[in-house]
Amino acid sequence: MGRIGSQLLKGTTPLLVLSVLRDGELYGYEIAQRIRERSGGAFAPSEGSLYPALHALEAEGALSATWREGDKGPRRRYYRMTSAGGALLAEHEAQWNSFALGVTRTVGGEAGR
Amino acid sequence: MTLLLAFLACIVLAAWLNARLQRSMDRAAPPANTAGLDPEAQEFLRALDSNLDLPATDRAELRAELADHLVDSVASLEAEGQPEERAMREALARLGNPAELARQMNAAHRSARRTLAGAAGGVFEVMVGAVQGYLVGLLLYLLVSLGSGLLLNSAFRGAADSAARFLPAISLGSSDTSLAVTAGLFCVAGLAGARRGVQTAHRLSRRSIFAIGRWVGICGALVLACLLMFVISAPQSWLAVPIELLIPIAFALGALFAMRPLPLAHVRVPARLVAVAAIVLIVAVAATGSYGSAGSVANSYSYDDGQQGATLNRIAPAWSGDVGLEGRWGAIGGSVVDETWQIQDPKVLSGLRDIRFELWRAVPVAGAPDWVQAWLPAPGYSAPFATKPADVSSGIFTANFDVGHVKTTRWLLLLTAVAPDGIRYRVDWRSECPTSFSGTIWDWMTATN
């Protein structure tokens, strides 16, 4: 699979972050690793844009963060999705599905139908 | 009563909300784990921190979080077989440019919710700080006053006598002194309130403290200046007005002092210019408000008014002899002088012409007892500040002046006339009790002296 455009990744970073946090709390590096794993190695958001996205979601109230000792070792800043984050995730998923369907139909043309 | 209780309830609720929000922001961040990082990584974190425009707590948290991330990233890359030095470079490259990362973090920490919280919290803290500053200033004033009194009387008087003597003077000082002290206390309140408000707004909104301080200082000072100049009506005096004009300046300085570190290199010269201008203003206003030197000695003109003779005194800034002890108790509103006279035998004035009422600025007679309302025309003024012709045909005539736009608070009302020798003399007079000038600073500045 070819390299995914950075602008496309940048716009979907909040959706990717909220998706991996649906199952539980993770810290920053774990979030990046989880996204890479779930995408099958197809892409991974730039770590330089991951942390701004995490902090922006926290500022909006979609995530809450606490410092605590991890299961595997030293303390890390763990992020957890809030109820507001759940609603935001549902909204982003709906937008993405609509967008993806539209793009697929447009790109596919006669052959894509 | 209901409104008062509702107001107090709002104050308590606002204080509780503000304290709760402050506690949520006052979390302690763990120190950044930079011990295992090489100099290149530490330099990255330093460059990031220098570009962050966030409260210290947020910056500390971010440094710690990214330091932990670098440790994990390097460990992961090393597990994949990369050498340590290359792994660190790769990990830093993935984070990107520290200045760009800091810019994105600054933007990420700001939201409409936090901006609103910063604005509301800042306004609340301005009020809290103003009250605190006022009370602290009042306490300092009382301590200084008491201390100076004790110091002057420590040789021969007991502490109790000194306190008993000077405490009444503190609470019952002259009106000019009280107004000036009140204005000074509001200067302290403005400085404390601005400082506290800017710091709180910065912490809650996550916006640059320099931007907040600049806008709060400029806008707050302008709003205060407009309110004081054109809206707020209060007793004014020569001493209080210059100090009141310092209130907006004190507010702006409070916003400046909230910024840490202080941009000293940029404000040293302007601050000195403001201080010099303030001193010159106070001295100039005080000098122009003072009275001039005494005038010449009066001479007299005798005439027959049917009452065993009488003497008319020439109008002069300083009179000798008959200063009169008659006065009227109580202010009459400070804006209108309304006087009625009745002459027993109007024919006695037939030899006199151009009879008129005159208002002269007055000063109290030095050494007169407090219960005596005795006044002299103020030295340095050779003419009345207002006149009205008097119609003496009926024997009863009135004087009605509007002195609301005049700064002087004490005056003599005279009945004068020109004698056959062509000189104007005083026929009779009344003295009024002092009143205070009440209005805005603009009213004061545009009023006549």
Side-chain angles (χ1 to χ4, degrees), chain A residues 4-111:
Chain A
I4 306 297
S6 61
Q7 291 301 317
L8 181 60
L9 271 178
K10 195 175 180 181
T12 55
T13 300
L15 172 60
L16 298 174
V17 168
L18 290 171
S19 295
V20 299
L21 287 175
R22 192 201 321 247
D23 302 328
E25 59 178 18
L26 299 167
Y27 58 88
Y29 187 77
E30 276 186 332
I31 293 173
Q33 292 290 90
R34 191 67 61 88
I35 291 173
R36 192 176 294 117
E37 288 168 7
R38 284 194 180 180
S39 68
F43 59 82
S46 160
E47 288 158 17
S49 61
L50 173 64
Y51 283 95
L54 284 172
H55 284 246
L57 287 169
E58 185 187 358
E60 291 173 21
L63 301 178
S64 65
T66 53
W67 287 92
R68 66 174 182 81
E69 299 288 335
D71 299 331
K72 301 174 185 175
R75 59 99 177 93
R76 292 289 184 268
R77 195 166 192 254
Y78 281 80
Y79 293 88
R80 181 189 301 114
M81 192 164 63
T82 64
S83 56
L88 186 63
L89 173 61
E91 183 184 331
H92 277 223
E93 280 179 335
Q95 287 177 356
W96 172 257
N97 291 334
S98 176
F99 174 75
L101 181 61
V103 170
T104 301
R105 284 179 174 172
T106 303
V107 170
E110 290 293 335

Side-chain angles (χ1 to χ4, degrees), chain A residues 27-29 33 36 46-49 51-52 55-56 58-61 67 75-77 79, chain B residues 30-31 61-62 64-66 68-69 72-73 76 94-95 101 104-105 108-109 111 113-114:
Chain A
Y27 58 88
Y29 187 77
Q33 292 290 90
R36 192 176 294 117
S46 160
E47 288 158 17
S49 61
Y51 283 95
H55 284 246
E58 185 187 358
E60 291 173 21
W67 287 92
R75 59 99 177 93
R76 292 289 184 268
R77 195 166 192 254
Y79 293 88
Chain B
E61 274 197 340
L62 191 55
E65 188 175 15
L66 291 177
D68 293 341
H69 174 86
D72 292 336
S73 186
S76 175
R94 287 180 179 181
L95 284 176
L101 180 57
Q104 291 187 35
M105 292 305 299
H109 274 247
S111 64
R113 187 179 67 138
R114 284 180 173 175

